[in-house]
Amino acid sequence: DEKGYVYTNPPDTTDTLLRMAASADRVYIAADNSKFGRRGLRRYGRLTQWAGLITDNRTDPRFLEALRKLGVQILIGEIR
């Protein structure tokens, strides 16, 4: 969301995702434009605790600006 929280569905995957992140040297969250402005069943972290976000060029610029203000590094791929 615009505050940098990351959600997942279904909630039973949260522990697995957090264990994978804890064992990695660097973690990026990948989310396409359809994921912004929506919330999942369980919040499991904030983008500021990981290396950054990978998304696409169709993501609402207002969300990206809000996340940049939080200090989130954002990598954007192009959808043609």
Side-chain angles (χ1 to χ4, degrees):
D1 67 12
E2 68 280 353
K3 295 179 181 176
Y5 289 107
V6 180
Y7 297 84
T8 187
N9 288 320
D12 61 347
T13 62
T14 304
D15 291 336
T16 301
L17 292 169
L18 291 173
R19 280 195 302 268
M20 288 174 17
S23 68
D25 292 331
R26 190 175 315 155
V27 176
Y28 284 86
I29 300 299
D32 68 28
N33 67 81
S34 70
K35 303 298 187 275
F36 292 85
R38 303 172 64 194
R39 291 189 178 167
L41 295 175
R42 182 157 182 202
R43 183 171 70 190
Y44 72 94
R46 278 190 101 171
L47 287 168
T48 53
Q49 73 189 84
W50 296 303
L53 168 70
I54 300 171
T55 191
D56 62 76
N57 61 327
R58 294 182 184 168
T59 302
D60 187 329
R62 293 173 294 179
F63 275 104
L64 298 179
E65 184 58 30
L67 295 174
R68 283 187 182 105
K69 286 181 180 179
L70 294 173
V72 176
Q73 178 186 8
I74 301 171
L75 304 174
I76 300 174
E78 183 176 344
I79 295 177
R80 296 179 187 183

